[in-house]
Amino acid sequence: MTSKITDRKIVIVNQAVNYLTIGLANAFFSRFEEVCLITGSVHQQGEALDQNIKISKINYWHEKPARKKLQSYIIGAIKILFLLKTKYRGYEVFFVSVPPMSYLLGLFGRQKFSVVIWDVYPDAFKITGIKEKYALYRLFRFLNIRALRKSYKIFTISEVMADLLSQYVDIKRIIVLPIWSIFQEKSDYLRAENPFIVENKINQKFIVQYSGNIGLTHRVEVMVMLAEKMKDHENILFQIIGRGPRKAYLKKMVKEKDLPNCQFLSFQSDEMFPYSLSAADMGVVVLDAITAKGSVPSKSYNLMSFGIPALYIASDDSQLYAYADKYKHASCYNENELDKAVKYILEMATDKEMYERLSANALEAAKDFKRGNADKFVEKYLEVNEIKTPN
């Protein structure tokens, strides 16, 4: 057994902790004697946070409305900075995800800090209409360059995202490591006994499912468009599970188009989630073309872990396209190729041999996205930098 590091302490910063941050924190605690966490909430799913990891609570992260989101961002950043300069003054800092670009706080002082980037900013701001020529965008770009060049280690989750980040920092400094699924082993849920299927009376349907946020970066209306194109195929159900600012708009679209083959459901509980996911015959992952290079939704890995073939709606320069091409478990189309997507859905719904082949490919792909990847983050973190970090 490797002895723990006693002469270094690390604090992980994420205002909204989920299973990924918990995995990272536990992996660090397997090597460091002291690991702390600054967060506003801890959502435990699949893996419990080690009780010996100390937590400093800050304000809760709000996703909506926009006013509350901005408020939680500003208050959270102030509280994080205060804690880093007081309670955690002698600690190494590991910034994760929320609030976005929180690692800019590393510019205030001389603490060693690292960052794991799951969504690339300021590029992701483009979805809100902020353009590169705007002063705010240029300011974030300037600060991003400064912060990333000053950081100790930079992690991201895909080669495509590393390429996008190379506009801010030398690509040789970027460590690419994929994340992992909530579910580590495939569980079989018989359709006849699946409480989600029984409750929603959908046992005889081929379910094309989108499950997740319905926000600005998610062009979920493609589900409605597909449902409209396949309105005559009564055995195929388009299921939209989740919440977000655009859900009401999508419901209005479905009502106006009179689509009985499109179903809306609320976010499922943690207990029901594996049943709702396993109910899908095909999972849908959607990325807006503007931000497709800067993000990889975690639902992609959850679908793989259950052996569910996927339909990706994304550009051909996205990591989703690269995954579909590499693992052959999915097909990826842009929004202008929905007729091709319709053909793919029909083939999967009628060709059992093809379906089983893609399902097996998904399970094989899932082997690359296991919890052990968290330990690889720590291994890379502890490696001595070969490239000097600029002052």
Side-chain angles (χ1 to χ4, degrees):
M1 182 177 177
T2 305
S3 58
K4 288 195 175 186
I5 298 166
T6 58
D7 60 344
R8 297 167 64 182
K9 299 177 290 185
I10 190 164
V11 58
I12 299 170
V13 180
N14 189 345
Q15 198 171 354
V17 166
N18 64 4
Y19 76 97
L20 294 168
T21 309
I22 288 172
L24 287 171
N26 288 343
F28 271 107
F29 191 67
S30 71
R31 300 298 305 276
F32 283 73
E33 189 170 72
E34 185 169 352
V35 175
C36 300
L37 191 60
I38 297 175
T39 184
S41 63
V42 178
H43 183 195
Q44 300 194 84
Q45 250 182 314
E47 180 176 0
L49 182 70
D50 193 293
Q51 293 181 349
N52 294 301
I53 295 173
K54 302 170 185 175
I55 299 176
S56 288
K57 291 296 291 288
I58 58 172
N59 58 301
Y60 185 83
W61 171 257
H62 290 275
E63 275 291 342
K64 60 177 186 175
R67 178 185 58 79
K68 269 198 168 183
K69 186 173 185 177
L70 179 60
Q71 185 181 52
S72 64
Y73 186 117
I74 294 171
I75 294 173
I78 293 170
K79 290 185 174 182
I80 291 166
L81 184 59
F82 176 77
L83 285 168
L84 293 181
K85 297 309 170 190
T86 54
K87 186 174 182 178
Y88 298 110
R89 190 176 183 84
Y91 289 66
E92 297 172 31
V93 186
F94 197 82
F95 289 103
V96 183
S97 188
V98 177
M101 299 185 79
S102 57
Y103 54 86
L104 296 181
L105 297 174
L107 292 171
F108 299 92
R110 305 188 63 168
Q111 272 175 293
K112 179 191 290 185
F113 71 93
S114 300
V115 56
V116 54
I117 296 174
W118 291 337
D119 296 288
V120 180
Y121 287 88
D123 302 71
F125 289 142
K126 292 177 182 177
I127 196 69
T128 66
I130 297 177
K131 298 180 180 179
E132 292 185 25
K133 64 181 180 180
Y134 291 0
L136 181 62
Y137 190 100
R138 294 202 305 270
L139 173 62
F140 273 118
R141 178 182 174 83
F142 170 75
L143 294 174
N144 207 31
I145 291 171
R146 291 281 306 277
L148 291 178
R149 288 182 179 178
K150 185 182 177 183
S151 63
Y152 173 59
K153 292 286 179 75
I154 305 164
F155 296 90
T156 195
I157 63 175
S158 77
E159 290 80 7
V160 170
M161 290 172 69
D163 183 63
L164 185 59
L165 284 166
S166 66
Q167 64 185 302
Y168 305 113
V169 67
D170 186 348
I171 197 168
K172 294 177 182 177
R173 293 196 55 220
I174 302 171
I175 302 166
V176 178
L177 286 172
I179 52 176
W180 53 97
S181 169
I182 296 173
F183 308 104
Q184 292 299 289
E185 299 296 335
K186 182 181 184 296
S187 297
D188 292 314
Y189 298 97
L190 297 175
R191 292 185 76 91
E193 300 173 5
N194 185 323
F196 178 83
I197 289 177
V198 172
E199 180 181 322
N200 291 286
K201 300 180 176 62
I202 50 177
N203 192 33
Q204 303 304 316
K205 301 287 187 179
F206 183 89
I207 301 170
V208 181
Q209 184 188 94
Y210 175 91
S211 179
N213 291 317
I214 309 173
L216 293 174
T217 61
H218 311 96
R219 292 275 297 166
V220 186
E221 54 260 52
V222 298
M223 288 286 287
V224 180
M225 296 175 191
L226 288 168
E228 184 177 19
K229 287 177 176 289
M230 303 186 74
K231 190 175 182 179
D232 295 333
H233 297 275
E234 296 180 357
N235 65 312
I236 298 177
L237 176 67
F238 290 85
Q239 194 174 70
I240 301 173
I241 303 174
R243 61 173 176 260
R246 303 184 69 249
K247 187 172 182 177
Y249 167 71
L250 296 181
K251 283 187 171 182
K252 183 180 178 183
M253 279 183 67
V254 169
K255 185 176 181 180
E256 289 175 350
K257 295 177 183 295
D258 188 24
L259 301 177
N261 60 338
C262 198
Q263 179 186 46
F264 288 90
L265 294 171
S266 301
F267 256 135
Q268 302 299 296
S269 66
D270 288 350
E271 293 73 26
M272 186 60 78
F273 180 44
Y275 294 103
S276 66
L277 180 66
S278 64
D281 294 291
M282 177 181 293
V284 180
V285 184
V286 185
L287 281 178
D288 189 284
I290 297 174
T291 58
K293 292 182 69 173
S295 180
V296 184
S298 59
K299 66 171 70 71
S300 313
Y301 311 111
N302 293 334
L303 291 168
M304 292 178 196
S305 70
F306 271 67
I308 298 172
L311 167 62
Y312 296 151
I313 304 296
S315 56
D316 58 9
D317 59 356
S318 67
Q319 189 63 42
L320 290 179
Y321 183 93
Y323 281 158
D325 183 60
K326 177 180 179 179
Y327 295 111
K328 313 300 182 188
H329 68 299
S331 285
C332 185
Y333 306 102
N334 63 51
E335 203 173 314
N336 297 320
E337 299 177 310
L338 293 190
D339 287 338
K340 292 182 180 179
V342 167
K343 182 181 177 183
Y344 170 64
I345 294 168
L346 286 173
E347 286 176 338
M348 294 294 285
T350 56
D351 189 333
K352 185 177 179 181
E353 183 180 337
M354 177 183 175
Y355 185 90
E356 290 179 350
R357 182 173 68 253
L358 267 70
S359 177
N361 290 346
L363 289 174
E364 188 65 26
K367 294 177 181 179
D368 287 344
F369 308 104
K370 295 296 185 182
R371 164 58 176 78
N373 289 352
D375 301 308
K376 294 177 183 178
F377 273 82
V378 179
E379 290 169 11
K380 287 293 183 181
Y381 181 83
L382 292 173
E383 285 182 4
V384 177
N385 268 346
E386 295 181 1
I387 299 175
K388 292 183 178 180
T389 304
N391 294 324

